[in-house]
Amino acid sequence: ASFVGSPAHPPISLRGGNALDDYEAPPAFDPVIDKVTPEYLEKYGWGIAHLDSESWRFYLPHYLAYAIRHVTDASSTAIDCFLASLRPPDRDPPRFGALSEAEEKVIVAVLDRLAFSEDSAWQTEAMLVLEEYWAPGAIYR
């Protein structure tokens, strides 16, 4: 799963972003260690905050799918970190601004599922993200 124009592997892995979060140098991408699995997303979730735009876009489809599959899991660090990465302000170079209209629609559809599904453990957080940036008339759009 990838968005248009996302690389075969990210310049900075989620594990590398997690190292940056710990004030360490990011290790090089390793296709075995950095294979995207549910366990990987949970273990290195904090790393998403430190990813460049290209790396963030690489992981975005994985997080979107993971959030849908784990919509009822209130203990997910991965979903918490993912939602935080969707909050403004955008970065320079832009993350949000680099998305196509179709990609934005996918993000909004997942946020809608998280915000408005009765079984979602992420209603409050997803609603905040929508209100701040992704919904029509958002505060910071």
Side-chain angles (χ1 to χ4, degrees), residues 84-102:
S85 83
L86 294 174
R87 295 186 67 192
D90 201 358
R91 298 188 173 188
D92 187 24
R95 285 180 171 183
F96 309 156
L99 297 168
S100 71
E101 186 176 328

Side-chain angles (χ1 to χ4, degrees), residues 41-109:
L41 292 175
E42 288 294 341
K43 182 173 184 179
Y44 298 112
W46 295 110
I48 197 170
H50 301 279
L51 298 181
D52 59 274
S53 180
E54 191 176 4
S55 300
W56 179 77
R57 285 174 45 85
F58 173 87
Y59 286 105
L60 196 54
H62 299 285
Y63 273 104
L64 291 164
Y66 186 80
I68 291 296
R69 286 192 313 268
H70 296 89
V71 68
T72 61
D73 183 2
S75 68
S76 173
T77 299
I79 296 173
D80 189 33
C81 294
F82 163 64
L83 289 172
S85 83
L86 294 174
R87 295 186 67 192
D90 201 358
R91 298 188 173 188
D92 187 24
R95 285 180 171 183
F96 309 156
L99 297 168
S100 71
E101 186 176 328
E103 292 166 344
E104 285 189 18
K105 286 180 180 180
V106 171
I107 291 170
V108 170

Side-chain angles (χ1 to χ4, degrees), residues 88-135:
D90 201 358
R91 298 188 173 188
D92 187 24
R95 285 180 171 183
F96 309 156
L99 297 168
S100 71
E101 186 176 328
E103 292 166 344
E104 285 189 18
K105 286 180 180 180
V106 171
I107 291 170
V108 170
V110 171
L111 288 171
D112 282 348
R113 167 77 169 92
L114 294 173
F116 300 112
S117 297
E118 288 184 28
D119 64 340
S120 175
W122 299 96
Q123 292 175 344
T124 301
E125 295 86 348
M127 186 67 72
L128 176 64
V129 173
L130 283 165
E131 289 172 352
E132 286 182 334
Y133 188 85
W134 299 95

